[in-house]
Structure formats: structure tokens, C-alpha cells
């Protein structure tokens, strides 16, 4: 076995070893809302784009996304967090339930669940609207209820682990979930927990916790370094103890790093370093020079400074530095990647992996999630696939059985991805099909194509169809990059499969309005949208078959475009979704008497 192969097996063994490990997550939970829109024009009132909303998706965010990542990586996550008794909280509960997270959130009437709403156009984030948070502090009664839930949940996890103190992840993003009394309780009861991982915007507040690992960003680390230690050993802001720890320009010859007043660059010993990725002096060099000081300031055994697109630098008690690297991606792809990093680091340390191994797995978990727009979630199979050991479940066999497909869809939804569903015979794949499927894929994150089995095609199209058996039809569809999963169904209608998958978007081909689609009532009852895509000129399966047969019979006169024809055996509910001519059966007429026929390739 090669050294690289042995290393991959060693890392994979750690991933397998943490399966089922219970982890308690405490902190600021929020809902991530993604709104995808198309820019149509500029409005008359101002030089601003007019956007048409195409789809909306929601995912767990903050501490909730860390819990989702822990569960997706194979751990057993429990979340304790104060949330509102409102609609965003309902959606957050649904996200946690689908991810398999034990939901011990405390619902507080009158509190607003924190929400981050992002509006995107053409793949770019145009704006973000935040609601809920620090302006909505917990009342004394709410704090007592939260502490009661925390103590009870901690004891439950300890008993379930035969007395072993459970690991704890603390996510403090300044949104009010962890006020002073909660921090004090954690410090007093530190012995109730094993590994403690801390991700906090203001690390100075947590000096007494003695965490196992802290994972500050570069800016968060420099904020801590810009504070001075008081005689009690507790870090306080260098200027005004009551002010936010933003620091200022250092005095001449100052021997510490400080954040400048604009909050965007740091200075130290006369050196100014931009926090923008790739600008100025290497941030990893500066961060590495201060790892020992950061360990002393935080009281942590391990400090992992995350550098977004530049990876991370990690230091432990041995003084050695471990540097990891990442791949630059659009900002909309990296939302929540730090949560995946924190989750994998916690699980690896809980499994008693050496620090270099934990750092490597954490970086790999973060890097493997940043492949698409949305809130990042790293699944165990994704991580193993990145190690070269196994194919990820969501990218494994594209061709799936119905039961396997439902499991894949569940994983996609856990990751906040929306599902697009279409169906048809796809007997002779042609450019009309390809363009149709590419358009359908752009309506969501995951495209599922359901294909009629051979017997179903014969019942719908006649005894001389299909021309190509289902194995060939499926193989060609699976080769298209826009198709994520292909499933075969035996029935004449895909209704049962639609009800099981519950697609966010259902797509059919045709020049008729969506309300004329036979499956539309079912899809809408399940909460999905229905889209119809227009014709691709001069493309149809029947026309192609006719040309082939005409060629076999010899030259035929040029009759122009293929005529419009209907098959008496075709069912419009199951006809192929794309063609130039409406050929596969007679569709219902609308109120004006126009004939809306479903196209067949």
C-alpha cells in the first residue's frame, strides 16, 4: 500500500470511529433564507433592478447549522438554543427534524427567531437582510428556562453515555443566546463536559471556560489580540472596557497586533496587513506568529485560525503549526463552511484523533461543501469520497431505485437543496431534450428525471415503441451533466413517485399553461411549483423516427416540418416532455377551445 493510500485509510478510520457520538450544541441558532430571482429591468422610480422571485429555500444557520453538520457527518447532535414562537422557528424546527438533530430549542413567545435573508440574481448575492438577534435580549425568566433545559439535556447525554461527559460546541455570534448568566453557568460546570469547542465573535468573553479548541476567524483573532489583560487575567478591550474590542492604531513600537478603527485591517509593530484574502502580507504568517499568545489569551489547548479562502492555521500545546489550504470559491458558495469545519474538528478531537489528523479532516470537510450556492453541509459520505474512499451518497450512482432515490432526496434537503422533477419516455434523445433538461436544471439545485419503463412506453406509444430499451435510455440521460438522478417507474403515470419525492418544482414540456398539466393539482397540494417549458423548434422523437424510416425506404419529397399528429394510445400525463410537435396524444382544450397537446420526442 502506498503512503498516500495508508494516509487516506487512517483518516477514513477516524471518520468511521466517530459514528453515533453524541454532541451538545449551544448557541445562536438562526434560519438561512435564500431567495433566487431574475433581474428583468430597471424600475422607473430609481436605478434599481426589478426582480422576479423564482424560488425560495431555507436551511438551518449558525449553531443550528453546526448541529446539522454534526448529524450529517455521522454524529448524534442535540441543539439547545432560544428561538421565537414564530414562522421562522417553525421552518427551523423542520430543518432540524429532517437532518436528524435532537431539537431541544426553547420557544419563547415574543422573541424573534434570527433570520438571514439573502436575495440573489444571476448567482450573485445582491443584498442580505438580518432580523432578530442582539436587539432582542432574553428576559430573566427566559434565561432560567434556557439554563434548566441546558442542565437537563447535559445530564441526559451524560447518562446515555454511561457517565461520560458529553462534548459541547458553543456558538456565540452575538445574537443574545448566551448572556452572562449562561456563560457563568458553563464556566462553573466545565467539568460536566468533555471536549469543548468554541466559536465566538468576541473571544474575550470566554477566557474562563478553558475550551479544548477555539476556531476564530482572522478578524476575530486580531480583535482578541487588540485587547489588554487585566490583573485578574481576563481580557478586556484595550481602550474603553465598555466599548467593542475594535482597538485602534498602536503606539510607536507596539508589540502586539491590533485591529484598526475601520475594522478591516490589522496593525502591529508598524506593519499593516489587510484582512482581504490575498491582499498585503500573508495572513497565515501573521496569525502563526501569534498562536501561542492566542492560546494563552483564550485558555484553549488548540487554536485554529480560519482564513476563509486561504485555509487555516492550527496550533496546539506542542508549539507546532499545521497549515491547511482551501480553494477560492464565490462567497455565495461558502456560507456555513466554518460550521462544517467546527463540526468535523469537534468530532475528530472527541474520537481522540491526533491534532494534525483533526485539522486535516476539518479543512477537508469545509472545502468539500463549497460546491454550490447555499448553506454548507458536509455529509459523512462526501467527506469519505473526498478522501478517495467512497463515493458520496448525493453523487453516487446517478441511476437509483425508488427507495434509494428517497434517501438521496432526504440528504439533498438536509443540505438545503431544492429538487426539480420531470418525467418522460426519452426514447430517442435529441437536442430538444438536452435543452429542455438544461432549462429544468436551472429551476433548482437537483434535477431528478423519471423515465417510463419499456412496458409503460408500449402501453402509451404502441407496440413498436420504445425504439431503445430502458437501460440505454437511462444510460444516455445519466451522462448529461445537468441530470443529477435518474429513476425508472413502471406505472403509466408518475403520480406515486411525485407524491413520494415531493418535488419543489415539477417541470413539463408544452405550450400550454401550467394549470393544464395533469400532475399540477398533486404537485401544488404537496407544496411544489409547476413550470412548463416552450417548444424547441423542429425537434421530436417521432419526426426523427420518421426520417430514419424514410431513409430506409429511399429519398422522400421535402414536405417541410413534420405534421402535427396524435397517438390514440398516448396519455398526456406521461408523454415525453420535449418535442417540436405536439404528438403524444390529445391534451385537454382550454376555455377558448385551443388544443393543448403534450409534446413527445
Amino acid at each position: 500500500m502506498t503512503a498516500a493510500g495508508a494516509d487516506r485509510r487512517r483518516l477514513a478510520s477516524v471518520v468511521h470511529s466517530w459514528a453515533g457520538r453524541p454532541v451538545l450544541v449551544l448557541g445562536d441558532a438562526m434560519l438561512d433564507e435564500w431567495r433566487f430571482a431574475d433581474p428583468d429591468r430597471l424600475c422607473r422610480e430609481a436605478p434599481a433592478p426589478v426582480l422576479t422571485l423564482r424560488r425560495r429555500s431555507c436551511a438551518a444557520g449558525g449553531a443550528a447549522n453546526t448541529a446539522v453538520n454534526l448529524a450529517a457527518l455521522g454524529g448524534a447532535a442535540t441543539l439547545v438554543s432560544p428561538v421565537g414562537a414564530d414562522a421562522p422557528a417553525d421552518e427551523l424546527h423542520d430543518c432540524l427534524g429532517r437532518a436528524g438533530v435532537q431539537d431541544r430549542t426553547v420557544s419563547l413567545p415574543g422573541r424573534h427567531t434570527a433570520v438571514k435573508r439573502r436575495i440573489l440574481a444571476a448567482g450573485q448575492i445582491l443584498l442580505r437582510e438580518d432580523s432578530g438577534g442582539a436587539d432582542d435580549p432574553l428576559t430573566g425568566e427566559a434565561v432560567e428556562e434556557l439554563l434548566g433545559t441546558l442542565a437537563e439535556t447535559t445530564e441526559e447525554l451524560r447518562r446515555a453515555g454511561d457517565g461520560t461527559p458529553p462534548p459541547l460546541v458553543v456558538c456565540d455570534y452575538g445574537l443574545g443566546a448566551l448572556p452572562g448568566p449562561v456563560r457563568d453557568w458553563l464556566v462553573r460546570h466545565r467539568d460536566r463536559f468533555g471536549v469543548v469547542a468554541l466559536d465566538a465573535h468576541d473571544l474575550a468573553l470566554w477566557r474562563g471556560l478553558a475550551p479544548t479548541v477555539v476556531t476564530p476567524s482572522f478578524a476575530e483573532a486580531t480583535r482578541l489580540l487588540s485587547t489588554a489583560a487585566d490583573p485578574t487575567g481576563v481580557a478586556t478591550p484595550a481602550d474603553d472596557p465598555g466599548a467593542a474590542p475594535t482597538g485602534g492604531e498602536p503606539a510607536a513600537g507596539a508589540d502586539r497586533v491590533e485591529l484598526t478603527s475601520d475594522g478591516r485591517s490589522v496593525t502591529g509593530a508598524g506593519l499593516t496587513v489587510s484582512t482581504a484574502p490575498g491582499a498585503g502580507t500573508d495572513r497565515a504568517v501573521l496569525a502563526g506568529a501569534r498562536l501561542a499568545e492566542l492560546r494563552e489569551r483564550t485558555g484553549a489547548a488548540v487554536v485554529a485560525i480560519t482564513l476563509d479562502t486561504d485555509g487555516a492555521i492550527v496550533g496546539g500545546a506542542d508549539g507546532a503549526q499545521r497549515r491547511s489550504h482551501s480553494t477560492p470559491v464565490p462567497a455565495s458558495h461558502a456560507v456555513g463552511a466554518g460550521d462544517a469545519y467546527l463540526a468535523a474538528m469537534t468530532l475528530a478531537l472527541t474520537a481522540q484523533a491526533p491534532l494534525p489528523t483533526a485539522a486535516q479532516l476539518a479543512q477537508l470537510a469545509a472545502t468539500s461543501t463549497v460546491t454550490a450556492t447555499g448553506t454548507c453541509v458536509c455529509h459523512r459520505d462526501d467527506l469519505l469520497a473526498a478522501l478517495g474512499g467512497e463515493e458520496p451518497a448525493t453523487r453516487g450512482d446517478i441511476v437509483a431505485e425508488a427507495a434509494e432515490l428517497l434517501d438521496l432526496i432526504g440528504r439533498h434537503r438536509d443540505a438545503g437543496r431544492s429538487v426539480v422533477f420531470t418525467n418522460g419516455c426519452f426514447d430517442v434523445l435529441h437536442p430538444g431534450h438536452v435543452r429542455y433538461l438544461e432549462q429544468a436544471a436551472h429551476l433548482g439545485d437537483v434535477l431528478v428525471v423519471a423515465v417510463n419503463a419499456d412496458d409503460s412506453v408500449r402501453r402509451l406509444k404502441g407496440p413498436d415503441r420504445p425504439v431503445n430499451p430502458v437501460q440505454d435510455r437511462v444510460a444516455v440521460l445519466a451522462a448529461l451533466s445537468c441530470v443529477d438522478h435518474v429513476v425508472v417507474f413502471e406505472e403509466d403515470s408518475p403520480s406515486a413517485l411525485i407524491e413520494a419525492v415531493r418535488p419543489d418544482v415539477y417541470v413539463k414540456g408544452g405550450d400550454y399553461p401550467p394549470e393544464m398539466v395533469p400532475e399540477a393539482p398533486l404537485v401544488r397540494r404537496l407544496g411544489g411549483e409547476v413550470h412548463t417549458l416552450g417548444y424547441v423548434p423542429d425537434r421530436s422523437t417521432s419526426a426523427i423516427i420518421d426520417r430514419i424510416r424514410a431513409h430506409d425506404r429511399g429519398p422522400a419529397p421535402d414536405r417541410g416540418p413534420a405534421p402535427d399528429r396524435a397517438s390514440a394510445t398516448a396519455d398526456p400525463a406521461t408523454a415525453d416532455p420535449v418535442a417540436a410537435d405536439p404528438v403524444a396524444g390529445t391534451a385537454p382544450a382550454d376555455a377558448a377551445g385551443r388544443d393543448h397537446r403534450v409534446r413527445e420526442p
Side-chain angles (χ1 to χ4, degrees):
M1 182 188 300
T2 65
D7 186 55
R8 286 195 296 269
R9 287 182 179 273
R10 176 179 56 81
L11 293 170
S13 69
V14 174
V15 176
H16 289 296
S17 72
W18 70 44
R21 301 245 180 184
V23 182
L24 175 60
V25 181
L26 173 69
D28 292 302
M30 64 190 75
L31 183 72
D32 277 353
E33 180 179 329
W34 297 82
R35 292 174 175 261
F36 299 86
D38 290 337
D40 296 328
R41 62 190 184 281
L42 292 178
C43 71
R44 292 177 296 175
E45 299 84 2
V50 176
L51 303 177
T52 300
L53 181 65
R54 295 304 181 192
R55 62 185 177 90
R56 170 186 178 273
S57 65
C58 289
N65 189 47
T66 299
V68 168
N69 272 277
L70 285 163
L73 286 167
T78 300
L79 175 66
V80 174
S81 175
V83 297
D86 51 15
D90 292 339
E91 293 192 275
L92 180 59
H93 294 317
D94 289 342
C95 293
L96 295 172
R98 290 195 301 269
V101 174
Q102 185 178 359
D103 186 353
R104 297 300 301 271
T105 55
V106 178
S107 296
L108 302 173
R111 180 175 176 82
H112 299 288
T113 302
V115 181
K116 291 185 178 180
R117 297 179 179 89
R118 297 171 178 85
I119 298 181
L120 298 89
Q124 300 294 320
I125 297 178
L126 296 184
L127 60 89
R128 194 183 90 187
E129 175 195 15
D130 292 2
S131 60
D135 295 333
D136 194 11
L138 299 180
T139 64
E141 183 179 348
V143 170
E144 289 302 316
E145 185 175 356
L146 178 63
L147 286 173
T149 301
L150 175 58
E152 180 182 350
T153 305
T154 301
E155 182 59 22
E156 288 175 0
L157 293 177
R158 188 192 64 80
R159 288 198 302 269
D162 296 326
T164 302
L168 171 70
V169 179
V170 178
C171 302
D172 181 10
Y173 307 127
L175 300 181
L178 298 167
V182 177
R183 295 195 302 270
D184 293 342
W185 188 93
L186 290 172
V187 171
R188 290 197 309 271
H189 298 97
R190 174 64 179 85
D191 59 341
R192 297 192 184 186
F193 304 100
V195 169
V196 173
L198 172 65
D199 184 19
H201 284 349
D202 187 357
L203 288 164
L205 298 173
W206 293 94
R207 176 66 177 83
L209 182 61
T212 308
V213 58
V214 294
T215 60
S217 66
F218 182 75
E220 290 163 352
T222 56
R223 288 191 187 100
L224 182 64
L225 292 170
S226 71
T227 61
D230 69 13
T232 66
V234 178
T236 57
D239 300 318
D240 177 6
T246 56
E249 286 292 331
D255 191 27
R256 68 174 187 271
V257 178
E258 294 190 357
L259 192 71
T260 57
S261 58
D262 63 5
R264 294 187 59 79
S265 58
V266 295
T267 61
L271 176 67
T272 299
V273 182
S274 172
T275 59
T281 300
D282 189 343
R283 295 178 299 160
V285 173
L286 185 61
R290 304 291 176 169
L291 279 174
E293 185 177 355
L294 285 166
R295 288 186 58 247
E296 191 280 327
R297 291 286 190 94
T298 60
V302 176
V303 172
I305 304 176
T306 56
L307 305 170
D308 44 74
T309 56
D310 289 333
I313 186 161
V314 182
D318 60 2
Q321 297 181 15
R322 287 90 180 172
R323 176 73 195 278
S324 59
H325 298 272
S326 184
T327 302
V329 296
S332 61
H333 289 195
V335 174
D339 302 329
Y341 185 99
L342 178 63
M345 174 68 79
T346 302
L347 287 169
L349 293 177
T350 300
Q352 299 182 337
L355 182 55
T357 298
Q360 189 173 356
L361 288 170
Q363 185 64 64
L364 198 58
T367 303
S368 64
T369 67
V370 293
T371 57
T373 296
T375 304
C376 294
V377 175
C378 182
H379 290 273
R380 170 184 172 276
D381 292 335
D382 292 313
L383 185 56
L384 289 171
L387 291 170
E390 297 178 12
E391 286 296 313
T394 55
R395 299 192 197 95
D397 292 335
I398 293 178
V399 182
E401 298 291 336
E404 180 187 5
L405 176 66
L406 298 183
D407 179 64
L408 296 172
I409 295 300
R411 292 174 179 266
H412 285 304
R413 289 216 162 94
D414 291 345
R417 304 182 187 113
S418 60
V419 177
V420 181
F421 183 100
T422 191
N423 62 278
C425 299
F426 299 98
D427 195 357
V428 177
L429 203 70
H430 54 66
H433 286 126
V434 176
R435 180 173 175 184
Y436 167 84
L437 293 171
E438 287 175 342
Q439 292 174 342
H442 281 96
L443 295 174
D445 300 315
V446 178
L447 176 59
V448 176
V449 180
V451 182
N452 292 78
D454 291 346
D455 287 342
S456 174
V457 176
R458 277 189 283 271
R459 289 192 297 268
L460 297 171
K461 308 291 184 183
D464 60 341
R465 300 282 297 276
V467 173
N468 293 304
V470 70
Q471 295 91 340
D472 293 354
R473 292 183 280 132
V474 164
V476 175
L477 285 167
L480 297 177
S481 61
C482 60
V483 174
D484 294 288
H485 301 296
V486 182
V487 63
V488 177
F489 65 100
E490 301 288 341
E491 302 81 7
D492 294 347
S493 168
S495 296
L497 194 55
I498 291 172
E499 190 150 14
V501 172
R502 306 176 71 90
D504 300 284
V505 181
Y506 178 70
V507 182
K508 287 292 275 186
D511 63 347
Y512 45 85
E515 58 267 21
M516 301 298 293
V517 175
E519 296 84 2
L522 170 62
V523 174
R524 292 197 176 101
R525 177 172 63 80
L526 297 173
E529 303 173 7
V530 179
H531 287 258
T532 57
L533 301 179
Y535 290 131
V536 178
D538 197 26
R539 297 290 186 272
S540 82
T541 297
S542 296
I544 292 173
I545 293 174
D546 284 351
R547 287 199 298 270
I548 294 172
R549 288 171 176 167
H551 178 77
D552 291 340
R553 293 192 299 266
D558 183 7
R559 296 188 297 269
D564 183 71
R565 54 191 176 279
S567 168
T569 60
D571 180 350
T574 55
D576 278 354
V578 172
D581 333 320
V583 293
T586 302
D590 63 14
R594 291 187 297 268
D595 184 20
H596 295 293
R597 299 181 184 176
V598 180
R599 294 165 295 162
E600 184 261 4

